[in-house]
């Protein structure tokens, strides 16, 4: 499983004996926040002016036994102490480090704060994640999440993996299919490849359920021209997802919007056009909500019988198998694929992908 640098206390500028320093408190934890990274990693802590290239940085170390790590950075050069700053905490690889080939999901996902200073008020309780679609990406996508433990308002491993998976699928358009999976041809999902590669006169209609911060749907709208993506979730995500939509840069003729949608009470007419693709990432962790989720999917596909559903999940409990049983009972059949994401001590973790369509049309 992937680990995320989190701010337990967001950075602020402090005056110390006539000079200025930055203080913050971080931890490195899983998406669920249920365990901490249990290996030593070298970190680089960097303060930079929001609108300038001037930076001040210092290495530090996260140790396997850490549960939190206090960060102090200073004394700051006077030019930095007088302007709004952002603080980035990221893994510092040795100079001879060769990035692994394949998925670009790192073991430890870096964090950048919201702007703070020059006053001693702490930064807003937000974290900016910069996510590379593939190695060599010079313009990573940017997604804001909250610092707290909310399930909805931060990004999840399956969301990260789905971004990589969709990127591979979009970029494998026109390439010859191969039997390989895990490393990028996505040939196990012909229906997904087809839906993402067909050129259309009208936009591809995409709906995401349980979108959280919006990482998956926003990535798709940024990668794929001519698609209309409707992100949905419970009202509690409205603020963070709107922030991310406003900061997004959709591809030509693509668009993003958000609407509240509770699986327990989905609206009759969600879209004016038939839906082509429904995205569901990391939404099967709570078996109590699975009947409502499957029922919502069923209702959407009844009004858009040609729609396919891409479900991504990381297995957390045995009870999640109920999802597959409910989908089968609802007449859905799936192609399956997977993607390996890094885990600590050089191990891998698996994200599963299912591409559902209605096997029995009624
Ligand atoms: C683990 S998060 C996944 C977020 C995002 N898809 C990702 O992969 O990063 C699960 C999401 O499902 C949403 N969710 C849970 N129950 C829901 C319901 N009844 N109706 C709508 N959304 C729900 C939560 O609000 C949350 O955003």
């Amino acid at each position: 499983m992937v680990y995320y640098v989190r701010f337990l206390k967001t950075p602020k500028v402090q005056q110390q004996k006539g000079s200025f320093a930055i203080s913050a408190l971080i931890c490195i934890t899983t998406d669920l926040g249920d365990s901490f990274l249990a290996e030593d990693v070298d970190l680089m802590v960097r303060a930079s002016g929001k609108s300038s290239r001037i930076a001040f940085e210092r290495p530090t170390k996260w140790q396997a036994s850490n549960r939190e790590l206090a960060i102090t950075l200073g004394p700051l050069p006077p030019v930095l102490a007088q302007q709004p700053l952002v603080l980035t905490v990221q893994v510092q690889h040795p100079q001879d480090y060769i990035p692994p080939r394949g998925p670009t999901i790192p073991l430890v996902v870096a964090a950048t704060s919201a702007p703070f200073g020059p006053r001693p008020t702490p930064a807003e309780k937000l974290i900016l994640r910069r996510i590379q679609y593939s190695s060599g990406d010079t313009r990573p996508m940017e997604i804001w999440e909250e610092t707290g433990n909310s399930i909805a308002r931060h990004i999840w491993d399956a969301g990260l993996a789905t971004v990589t998976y969709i990127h591979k699928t979009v970029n494998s358009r026109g390439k010859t299919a191969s039997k390989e999976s895990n490393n990028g041809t996505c040939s196990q999902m012909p229906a997904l490849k087809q839906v993402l590669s067909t050129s259309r006169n009208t936009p591809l209609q995409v709906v995401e359920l349980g979108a959280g911060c919006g990482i998956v749907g926003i990535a798709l709208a940024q990668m794929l021209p001519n698609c209309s993506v409707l992100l949905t979730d419970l009202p509690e995500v409205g603020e963070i997802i709107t922030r991310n939509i406003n900061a997004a840069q959709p591809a030509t003729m693509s668009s993003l919007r958000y609407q509240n949608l509770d699986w327990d009470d989905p609206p009759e007419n969600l879209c004016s056009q038939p839906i082509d693709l429904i995205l569901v990432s990391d939404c099967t962790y709570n078996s109590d909500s699975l009947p409502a989720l499957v029922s919502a999917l069923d209702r959407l596909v009844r009004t858009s019988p040609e729609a396919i559903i891409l479900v991504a999940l990381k297995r957390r409990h045995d009870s999640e198998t109920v999802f597959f049983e409910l989908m089968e009972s609802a007449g859905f059949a799936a192609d399956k694929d997977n993607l390996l994401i890094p885990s600590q001590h050089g191990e891998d973790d698996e994200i599963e992908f299912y591409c559902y369509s209605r096997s029995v049309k009624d």
Side-chain angles (χ1 to χ4, degrees):
M1 67 190 57
V2 172
Y3 290 80
Y4 300 80
V5 177
R6 291 239 161 90
F7 290 111
L8 296 172
K9 288 186 186 163
T10 55
K12 64 178 181 184
V13 174
Q14 282 180 322
Q15 197 165 6
Q16 289 178 340
K17 296 178 193 157
S19 64
F20 292 91
I22 294 169
S23 67
L25 186 65
I26 65 152
C27 66
I28 304 184
T29 182
T30 58
D31 53 4
L32 205 52
D34 57 347
S35 63
F36 299 93
L37 181 67
E39 64 180 65
D40 293 357
V41 281
D42 293 320
L43 298 173
M44 184 59 79
V45 181
R46 178 181 304 114
S48 46
K50 194 172 166 263
S51 53
S52 80
R53 287 169 178 270
I54 304 167
F56 181 69
E57 61 184 24
R58 183 156 293 169
T60 186
K61 199 175 187 90
W62 172 269
Q63 286 174 330
S65 57
N66 281 153
R67 297 290 173 268
E68 57 183 44
L69 177 66
I71 285 177
T72 310
L73 190 64
L76 291 178
V79 64
L80 273 185
Q82 286 152 19
Q83 57 175 296
L85 301 171
V86 293
L87 189 77
T88 298
V89 183
Q90 64 187 51
V91 169
Q92 176 75 357
H93 294 294
Q95 282 199 330
D96 56 356
Y97 173 76
I98 301 168
R101 295 179 65 197
T104 52
I105 299 169
L107 172 63
V108 178
V109 181
T112 295
S113 74
F116 60 97
R119 289 202 239 180
T121 317
E124 223 180 318
K125 292 185 172 178
L126 295 170
I127 299 175
L128 182 66
R129 304 288 183 194
R130 294 201 167 90
I131 295 151
Q132 275 193 302
Y133 297 139
S134 62
S135 50
D137 249 357
T138 49
R139 289 183 54 203
M141 84 179 277
E142 297 193 338
I143 290 283
W144 288 96
E145 62 173 24
E146 288 191 5
T147 57
N149 277 333
S150 136
I151 285 190
R153 295 188 294 273
H154 69 92
I155 59 175
W156 293 76
D157 290 3
L160 272 184
T162 308
V163 170
T164 301
Y165 194 80
I166 289 178
H167 183 258
K168 286 172 177 198
T169 308
V170 168
N171 284 282
S172 68
R173 289 182 294 176
K175 291 186 187 154
T176 316
S178 122
K179 290 246 176 299
E180 287 173 285
S181 188
N182 290 340
N183 62 356
T185 59
C186 309
S187 58
Q188 315 295 324
M189 302 279 206
L192 180 68
K193 192 166 172 175
Q194 161 103 23
V195 96
L196 293 180
S197 62
T198 306
S199 29
R200 312 164 178 272
N201 297 325
T202 53
L204 182 79
Q205 298 294 324
V206 183
V207 172
E208 181 170 5
L209 301 187
C213 298
I215 175 173
V216 173
I218 291 174
L220 179 63
Q222 295 193 161
M223 287 173 207
L224 196 69
N226 201 21
C227 67
S228 162
V229 181
L230 173 61
L231 306 168
T232 72
D233 205 306
L234 299 173
E236 63 175 287
V237 310
E239 201 176 321
I240 194 83
I241 207 166
T242 304
R243 177 185 280 263
N244 284 323
I245 289 173
N246 290 342
Q249 298 181 313
T252 316
M253 289 162 52
S254 290
S255 62
L256 281 160
R257 66 196 168 93
Y258 172 73
Q259 184 175 322
N260 293 333
L261 186 156
D262 187 337
W263 307 332
D264 286 298
D265 187 21
E268 284 299 328
N269 296 312
L270 186 63
C271 297
S272 53
Q273 305 288 325
I275 302 165
D276 299 300
L277 172 64
I278 302 169
L279 301 168
V280 184
S281 163
D282 229 328
C283 290
T284 54
Y285 57 92
N286 177 4
S287 57
D288 291 346
S289 61
L290 293 176
L293 174 60
V294 174
S295 161
L297 290 169
D298 180 54
R299 280 177 69 170
L300 290 177
V301 176
R302 275 178 197 274
T303 55
S304 299
E306 302 301 324
I308 60 166
I309 306 166
L310 178 64
V311 176
L313 59 101
K314 184 168 80 174
R315 296 263 181 164
R316 297 173 199 267
H317 318 283
D318 292 344
S319 59
E320 284 176 70
T321 51
V322 171
F323 175 74
F324 304 106
E325 291 160 19
L326 291 169
M327 288 297 277
E328 197 180 342
S329 302
F332 289 109
D335 289 328
K336 186 183 172 201
D337 203 355
N338 70 344
L339 189 83
L340 298 181
I341 58 171
S343 190
Q344 61 185 356
H345 310 306
E347 292 174 0
D348 291 321
D349 209 355
E350 184 187 22
I351 302 294
E352 298 170 36
F353 296 97
Y354 296 84
C355 186
Y356 281 101
S357 55
R358 191 97 309 136
S359 50
V360 184
K361 289 182 182 157
D362 48 15

